[in-house]
């Protein structure tokens, strides 16, 4: 019983030590995410090891010690001294060796799955950044103002015109325009159809086109190219609102099967359908939230609909902050009784849209690094255990004239078996993880061959490096010393 208590005490000590190291590792993992935030969420302030975390760590460590330390302690209490003496120093590699092999293979499998997931997400972020959305948001600044004042539509329209005129004339400002939400923001969905056609009120939400209310100059500001016709002119923006409409190319093809549709009449609106004449067709637009397919959309002049806020966009010549501050001053002078927030560059908003995929990819990469280290240590221990327990065999083989290359092959065979076993299970786990992440992926499939190949290559390289020291130990076996020990 004394040996059993000693085993159990060692298990508790190792579990508590491992728990403390785990808390340190958790703290290290969270360091890269300090200051980062998801869309509409506060920034992460960091991982704090408080009393609750410490209690959780202690309870988890003691639970692991009791769970995994009791069995070895019971086996030690049943130790057969006579059998041990009859073994004449030979080491038993049976169940203990199999357990080491299984644990090492499991570590490799877990690491391979994490690496595959990290590679897929990082490639997704790279693909999202390279998407041609149809709009250029470089150096475009946004200012959104809450409107609490009560103004008649004509008065508000005049104030908006004056604001755009003043902002457009500022030094360092190339274009200015008003929009409801802006590119890659929220969206207003509506209906559209041909005159006399039955426009389905129950049409699925995902198939509805987007209504975009914009002022003249919007297309020039965002660099959206015109395929046919023209963009909005100053005469199109008036109170009450005019009837022209501009379609994206994808919506024009959906309605007419072609894009040369200038002059055609459509029925469009959010609730009540209004007859509108097409004055232009612009290139396709892709939303960063769902960039796989073009987003059907049509544009109408910024109308006289009363809104509780106003959103101004301006394209500046540079991003030194001077023009942005001047824009804010103009907005404050136009709305002296309203708090004007700091201007926001749309490129920062785009980065926030990608933040979730990027943070998840970074998290998986950090876990992958720790997984690679654990796999290397585990595989090193398993192969070194094999080498130590087969040292007598290696010595006899060398004494009988065996080539050291043959010894190296025996060690490599053991390492290859563990690595292949872990890789097979790891590939299955990676496929499952890829299916879980499927909705987060863009431009890569759940069975992307290059991502899987890169992950397998990295894991195999780590496995090879982990086996170098045990292999050298096997090659340095002294047959004379080994046989003398027997």
């Amino acid at each position: 019983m004394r040996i059993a208590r000693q085993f159990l005490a060692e298990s508790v000590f190792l579990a508590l030590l491992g728990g403390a190291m785990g808390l340190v590792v958790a703290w290290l993992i969270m360091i890269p995410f300090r200051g980062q935030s998801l869309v509409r969420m506060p920034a992460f302030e960091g991982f704090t090891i408080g009393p609750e975390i410490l209690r959780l760590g202690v309870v988890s460590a003691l639970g692991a010690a009791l769970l995994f330390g009791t069995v070895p302690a019971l086996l030690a209490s049943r130790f057969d001294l006579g059998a041990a003496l009859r073994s004449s120093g030979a080491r038993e590699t049976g169940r203990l060796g199999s357990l080491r092999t299984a644990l090492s293979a499991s570590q490799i499998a877990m690491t391979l799955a994490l690496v595959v997931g990290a590679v897929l997400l990082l490639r997704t972020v790279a693909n999202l950044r390279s998407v041609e959305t149809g709009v250029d948001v470089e150096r475009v600044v946004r200012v959104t103002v809450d409107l609490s004042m009560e103004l008649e539509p004509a008065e508000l329209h005049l104030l908006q015109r004056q604001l755009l005129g003043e902002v457009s004339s500022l030094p360092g400002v190339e274009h200015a325009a008003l929009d409801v939400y802006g590119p890659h923001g929220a969206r207003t969905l509506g209906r559209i159809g041909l005159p006399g056609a039955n426009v389905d009120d129950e049409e699925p939400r995902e198939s509805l086109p987007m209504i975009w209310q914009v002022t003249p100059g919007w297309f020039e500001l965002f660099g959206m190219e015109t395929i046919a016709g023209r963009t909005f002119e100053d005469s199109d923006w008036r109170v009450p609102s005019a009837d022209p409409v501009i379609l994206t190319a994808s919506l024009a093809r959906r309605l007419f099967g072609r894009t040369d549709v200038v002059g055609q009449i459509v029925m469009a609106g959010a609730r009540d359908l209004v007859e509108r004449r097409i004055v232009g067709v612009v290139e396709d637009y892709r939303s960063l939230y769902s960039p796989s397919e073009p987003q059907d959309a049509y544009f109408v002049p910024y109308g006289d609909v009363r809104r509780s806020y106003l959103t101004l966009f301006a394209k500046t010549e540079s991003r030194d902050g001077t023009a942005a501050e001047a824009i804010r001053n103009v907005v404050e002078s136009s709305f002296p009784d309203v708090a004007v927030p700091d201007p926001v560059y749309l490129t920062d908003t785009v980065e926030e849209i990608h933040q979730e995929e990027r943070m998840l990819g970074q998290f998986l990469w950090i876990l992958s690094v720790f997984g690679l280290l654990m796999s290397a240590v585990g595989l090193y221990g398993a192969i070194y255990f094999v080498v130590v327990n087969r040292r007598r065999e290696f010595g006899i083989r060398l004494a009988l004239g065996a080539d050291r290359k043959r010894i190296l092959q025996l060690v490599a065979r053991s390492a290859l078996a563990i690595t292949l076993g872990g890789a097979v299970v790891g590939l299955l786990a990676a496929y499952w993880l890829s299916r879980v992440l499927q909705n987060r992926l863009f431009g890569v499939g759940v069975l992307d061959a290059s991502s899987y190949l890169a992950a397998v290559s990295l894991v195999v390289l780590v496995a090879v490096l982990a086996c170098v020291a045990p292999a050298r130990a096997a090659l340095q076996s002294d047959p004379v010393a080994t046989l003398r020990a027997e």
Side-chain angles (χ1 to χ4, degrees), residues 96-119:
L96 188 55
S98 300
L99 180 59
R100 288 177 180 269
T101 299
L103 290 176
S104 182
S106 301
Q107 290 173 337
I108 292 175
M110 177 192 67
T111 300
L112 180 57
L114 290 174
V115 173
V116 169
V119 172

Side-chain angles (χ1 to χ4, degrees), residues 251-301:
L251 182 57
R253 287 189 292 265
R254 169 181 159 185
L255 294 175
F256 300 94
R258 64 187 194 278
T259 57
D260 55 335
V261 295
V262 174
Q264 298 290 332
I265 301 297
V266 294
M267 305 297 295
R271 295 194 181 104
D272 299 329
L273 300 184
V274 178
E275 183 178 288
R276 293 183 178 274
R277 183 178 301 276
I278 300 174
V279 297
V281 177
V282 295
E283 63 182 357
D284 287 336
Y285 164 74
R286 293 177 184 266
S287 170
L288 289 179
Y289 293 101
S290 55
S292 300
E293 299 293 336
Q295 168 71 60
D296 290 341
Y298 61 90
F299 300 82
V300 296

Side-chain angles (χ1 to χ4, degrees), residues 216-408:
W218 187 95
F219 298 94
E220 292 75 16
L221 187 152
F222 288 105
M224 204 168 195
E225 296 182 4
T226 304
I227 297 177
R230 62 174 177 84
T231 59
F232 289 139
E233 298 175 348
D234 189 66
S235 59
D236 295 323
W237 185 27
R238 62 177 186 266
V239 175
S241 59
D243 66 349
V245 64
I246 297 175
L247 309 184
T248 59
S250 62
L251 182 57
R253 287 189 292 265
R254 169 181 159 185
L255 294 175
F256 300 94
R258 64 187 194 278
T259 57
D260 55 335
V261 295
V262 174
Q264 298 290 332
I265 301 297
V266 294
M267 305 297 295
R271 295 194 181 104
D272 299 329
L273 300 184
V274 178
E275 183 178 288
R276 293 183 178 274
R277 183 178 301 276
I278 300 174
V279 297
V281 177
V282 295
E283 63 182 357
D284 287 336
Y285 164 74
R286 293 177 184 266
S287 170
L288 289 179
Y289 293 101
S290 55
S292 300
E293 299 293 336
Q295 168 71 60
D296 290 341
Y298 61 90
F299 300 82
V300 296
Y302 200 87
D304 54 1
V305 178
R306 174 68 185 176
R307 295 189 178 276
S308 60
Y309 56 89
L310 177 145
T311 307
L312 169 72
F313 294 90
K315 191 177 189 68
T316 61
E317 296 178 354
S318 63
R319 192 174 168 170
D320 58 3
T322 304
E325 185 61 28
I327 293 171
R328 178 180 178 176
N329 293 334
V330 170
V331 175
E332 286 182 336
S333 63
S334 300
F335 301 94
D337 299 328
V338 177
V340 179
D342 293 331
V344 177
Y345 281 94
L346 292 192
T347 48
D348 297 336
T349 303
V350 169
E351 288 299 314
E352 290 179 0
I353 295 174
H354 298 156
Q355 186 77 342
E356 189 169 348
E357 285 78 10
R358 184 167 56 252
M359 288 181 65
L360 185 55
Q362 289 175 351
F363 184 67
L364 287 180
W365 262 121
I366 293 173
L367 292 181
S368 299
V369 171
F370 283 100
L372 288 170
L373 293 175
M374 291 176 59
S375 298
V377 172
L379 186 59
Y380 170 85
I383 299 304
Y384 200 85
F385 182 81
V386 171
V387 170
V388 170
N389 284 278
R390 299 183 67 177
R391 190 181 297 274
R392 176 175 177 273
E393 174 191 347
F394 294 159
I396 294 175
R397 287 177 178 271
L398 292 173
L400 294 177
D403 188 1
R404 292 185 180 272
K405 182 179 179 181
R406 176 63 178 168
I407 303 299
L408 183 61

Side-chain angles (χ1 to χ4, degrees), residues 44-58:
F44 176 64
E45 297 180 355
F47 177 69
T48 303
I49 303 178
E52 293 184 358
I53 298 297
L54 286 176
R55 282 196 296 269
L56 178 62
V58 171

Side-chain angles (χ1 to χ4, degrees), residues 112 116 427 448-459:
L112 180 57
V116 169
L427 288 175
D448 184 68
S450 58
S451 298
Y452 279 74
L453 181 61
V456 170
S457 301
L458 179 59
V459 172

